[in-house]
Amino acid sequence: SVSLVWYSPHKSGFELRVGVSTDGKRYSEVDAGLLTGRGTDTTLRSFLPTRVRYVRLSFLPGPQMSPPSVYEVALHGATAH
């Protein structure tokens, strides 16, 4: 799972897509959802356990909107040995 602390001055939502990769070139989308609200918020997005090295967060804002500001990103899960 991934958690993030974000801020937006807009009330409307943003689509968030979470992609993962082992090589940094080919990404698979593991989660997508809508972030809504205005101000600062914390969001937790969960997906099935998978082996990854890179995580990409993509924000798709509505028309005439800038994407949200992200202050903190944390990845949660098991560590491979």
Side-chain angles (χ1 to χ4, degrees), residues 6-12 36-41:
W6 57 278
Y7 168 81
S8 175
H10 309 288
K11 266 190 170 177
S12 355
T36 58
R38 183 158 138 196
T40 302
D41 200 358

Side-chain angles (χ1 to χ4, degrees), residues 1-6 16 18-20 30-31 41-47 52 54-57 59 70-78:
S1 65
V2 62
S3 61
L4 51 132
V5 178
W6 57 278
L16 166 65
V18 180
V20 295
V30 292
D31 186 62
D41 200 358
T42 300
T43 299
L44 175 66
R45 303 299 305 183
S46 296
F47 46 90
V52 303
Y54 303 94
V55 176
R56 178 173 58 194
L57 304 174
F59 297 93
V70 177
Y71 296 106
E72 184 178 319
V73 176
L75 300 174
H76 311 279

